[in-house]
Amino acid sequence: MRIPQTVTELHGPRFTPDKFPPTDNIQLTDGHEAQGERIIVQGRVLDENGRPVPHTMVEIWQANAAGRYNLPRDTHDAPLDPHFRGTGRVFTDEDGGYRFITIKPGAYPWGNHENAWRPNHIHFSLFGPGYATRLVTQMYFPGDPLLALDPIYQCTADAQARERLIAAFDLAITEPNWALGYRFNIYLRGRHATPMEDEDGDHDH
Ligand SMILES: [Fe+2]
């Protein structure tokens, strides 16, 4: 069922590149490279019929290679990287495409239960035309042994839907002698929809 949007949902701040400058490289541009394994994360934002969704603001945030967030509340005993910002923002092109250059995030402990570690993951937020159209999810990496133990990943009950949260290694995105490439397509709705977090969910981990 499609819920009609009212004036409240359709007005307010618009997310456009002139107001929200894109930063597709989530390292700091201070002339130094961040520590860790350089990767390219690329994909498309698609609707329920596989049609591209252009002009969508895609933001990511993640831990550095050592598994530490550049946030005051992250007290994990792992080094901060002064050359790594840990956040990025792009807008999808006419083909729904987006691309980030980043560092593979490290796993980190999170105290949820005995010996609890989050798998390597990148947080994603997508904004359509306004606040009412925000979607939040997490992207994981193929073959991660922590996925089977992670309550956040496992809270998506449908096994097939869970797999849509795992990026695919892609040699076509990989750049020779430079960086491995991963493909992560995001389906907003429909049978192949990418599982999303609740609006009031815990985005900290
Ligand atoms: Fe996280």
Side-chain angles (χ1 to χ4, degrees):
M1 180 183 288
R2 207 171 274 258
I3 299 166
Q5 297 207 322
T6 65
V7 170
T8 313
E9 285 81 39
L10 297 173
H11 288 71
R14 310 279 300 181
F15 299 104
T16 53
D18 57 315
K19 294 201 182 90
F20 296 89
T23 47
D24 69 334
N25 188 331
I26 79 167
Q27 306 180 50
L28 286 172
T29 51
D30 61 357
H32 298 271
E33 275 230 89
Q35 298 282 320
E37 181 188 340
R38 195 188 298 122
I39 60 169
I40 300 160
V41 177
Q42 181 177 321
R44 296 172 74 206
V45 180
L46 302 160
D47 72 10
E48 66 269 44
N49 298 311
R51 285 183 302 230
V53 181
H55 315 303
T56 291
M57 189 166 84
V58 181
E59 293 174 295
I60 63 172
W61 65 99
Q62 63 166 87
N64 67 20
R68 177 91 184 260
Y69 282 93
N70 188 14
L71 296 169
R73 65 177 177 273
D74 186 343
T75 55
H76 176 34
D77 178 24
L80 278 169
D81 183 340
H83 307 301
F84 188 70
R85 182 176 51 236
T87 61
R89 174 193 300 131
V90 294
F91 288 81
T92 57
D93 60 20
E94 294 303 323
D95 208 27
Y98 73 88
R99 183 175 186 264
F100 288 103
I101 296 160
T102 184
I103 295 294
K104 189 170 183 183
Y108 58 82
W110 62 302
N112 181 66
H113 51 275
E114 177 64 24
N115 214 359
W117 293 77
R118 292 296 333 274
N120 311 75
H121 63 280
I122 298 177
H123 296 266
F124 273 72
S125 162
L126 289 84
F127 271 113
Y131 278 119
T133 51
R134 187 181 192 204
L135 295 170
V136 175
T137 191
Q138 297 183 26
M139 183 203 101
Y140 298 92
F141 290 83
D144 190 331
L146 292 171
L147 288 171
L149 307 172
D150 182 49
I152 294 180
Y153 175 71
Q154 294 291 338
C155 80
T156 298
D158 177 353
Q160 282 188 336
R162 275 202 303 272
E163 297 207 351
R164 285 178 229 132
L165 296 171
I166 303 175
F169 169 69
D170 193 330
L171 202 58
I173 296 173
T174 298
E175 294 204 5
N177 304 318
W178 197 67
L180 295 185
Y182 291 90
R183 183 177 300 283
F184 185 55
N185 291 335
I186 299 167
Y187 287 83
L188 299 183
R189 293 179 293 273
R191 287 178 53 226
H192 303 292
T194 306
M196 299 290 173
E197 297 174 11
D198 296 338
E199 255 314 293
D200 53 355
D202 182 356
H203 302 157
D204 280 2
H205 296 292

